[in-house]
Amino acid sequence: MFDLVLVMIAGAAAFAFWSAARGAAERAERIGRQACRAAGVQWLDQTVHAAGLRLRRGDDGRLGFERSFRFEYSEDGTERHVGRLVLHGDTLVSFSGPVRASERDLR
């Protein structure tokens, strides 16, 4: 009986981890798509790819997962560029990727 309870707890923890990872990937995808749309560039492959996972303390001092994602975009339809973003929970911690068209024109 005790073994069954442990298996159920482990299963619930694994499901919670998977669900949080899926939610973070969906949020990262929305952020990447919006950035590409705002910059007027083409979002490639229609997805983000998990690039890293680590434990990190938040501003409140609590431990949480920091997930890194990458995505690809194209400014001209031929060259591929890599964008990266990092989420701590639902909070965007860092972003590098396409810039808005008006900022790009300044170069």
Side-chain angles (χ1 to χ4, degrees):
M1 181 69 175
F2 184 69
D3 292 339
L4 179 61
V5 172
L6 289 177
V7 169
M8 290 175 64
I9 290 172
F15 177 77
F17 179 80
W18 175 83
S19 181
R22 212 41 256 143
E26 290 171 3
R27 173 134 169 77
E29 187 173 324
R30 279 193 308 273
I31 292 169
R33 280 184 193 277
Q34 290 171 349
C36 288
R37 190 177 309 117
V41 299
Q42 183 181 4
W43 167 269
L44 300 176
D45 302 331
Q46 307 304 310
T47 190
V48 295
H49 304 280
L53 174 70
R54 71 180 189 146
L55 281 173
R56 178 176 171 259
R57 290 201 183 276
D59 293 335
D60 60 359
R62 295 176 59 188
L63 278 177
F65 287 110
E66 182 177 87
R67 292 178 166 88
S68 302
F69 297 92
R70 68 176 184 79
F71 62 94
E72 295 185 351
Y73 64 95
S74 178
E75 295 175 348
D76 59 6
T78 57
E79 291 187 27
R80 296 175 84 90
H81 302 280
V82 176
R84 299 183 189 282
L85 59 97
V86 178
L87 295 175
H88 184 259
D90 283 340
T91 305
L92 180 64
V93 176
S94 72
F95 179 86
S96 66
V99 294
R100 293 186 182 185
S102 60
E103 294 172 7
R104 194 170 48 237
D105 295 337
L106 296 175
R107 288 191 241 163

